[in-house]
Amino acid sequence: MDRRTVGAVADGGFKIALGVAYLAGAVPLARLLGTPVWLMAVAGVVLLIGGGVELAYTGRRSMRLYTRLMVGYDSGWVLAALAGLLVAWRGGGAGGEVWMGYQVVAQAAFAVVLVADGPTRRGPG
């Protein structure tokens, strides 16, 4: 297994673990982040499914595609976290919703791109 494949497997596994944590701790996490419990639960389910899709398609999709998706997702995750912190710092109540909402939408898009990319891995990249 090369480094990129290990990274893709680790990313999918981390998202599954995070999804389980969001589901198991939905009520206290929602209280802590100021989000509705349903949003924590939806984020947990989407991360579980998305992480599973990532693991299922590892080796069946280009590692170049995986790398681009991971960099894009993680960059957006950081920006969404910073935007959420800025909203909270300025006294708004939607900071947690911004961050969790990003995770729901971006992870769903990540999984859709993997599934829709094509039937087989293309090239060595």
Side-chain angles (χ1 to χ4, degrees), residues 18-45 100:
L18 192 58
V20 169
Y22 284 175
L23 286 170
V27 172
L29 286 171
R31 192 174 319 121
L32 178 69
L33 295 172
T35 64
V37 173
W38 68 263
L39 182 56
M40 294 302 304
V42 167
V45 169
M100 296 309 298

Side-chain angles (χ1 to χ4, degrees), residues 13-111:
F14 178 78
K15 287 176 180 169
I16 289 171
L18 192 58
V20 169
Y22 284 175
L23 286 170
V27 172
L29 286 171
R31 192 174 319 121
L32 178 69
L33 295 172
T35 64
V37 173
W38 68 263
L39 182 56
M40 294 302 304
V42 167
V45 169
V46 169
L47 284 167
L48 272 172
I49 293 169
V53 167
E54 286 185 51
L55 291 178
Y57 281 86
T58 302
R60 294 170 48 189
R61 295 294 181 260
S62 161
M63 283 298 109
R64 178 174 290 148
L65 173 65
Y66 262 89
T67 301
R68 288 179 180 171
L69 288 171
M70 288 186 293
V71 168
Y73 178 89
D74 292 344
S75 298
W77 193 87
V78 169
L79 292 174
L82 291 173
L85 284 171
L86 180 62
V87 168
W89 179 66
R90 295 187 50 92
E97 291 172 354
V98 167
W99 188 52
M100 296 309 298
Y102 169 79
Q103 292 179 68
V104 169
V105 172
Q107 183 57 49
F110 190 126

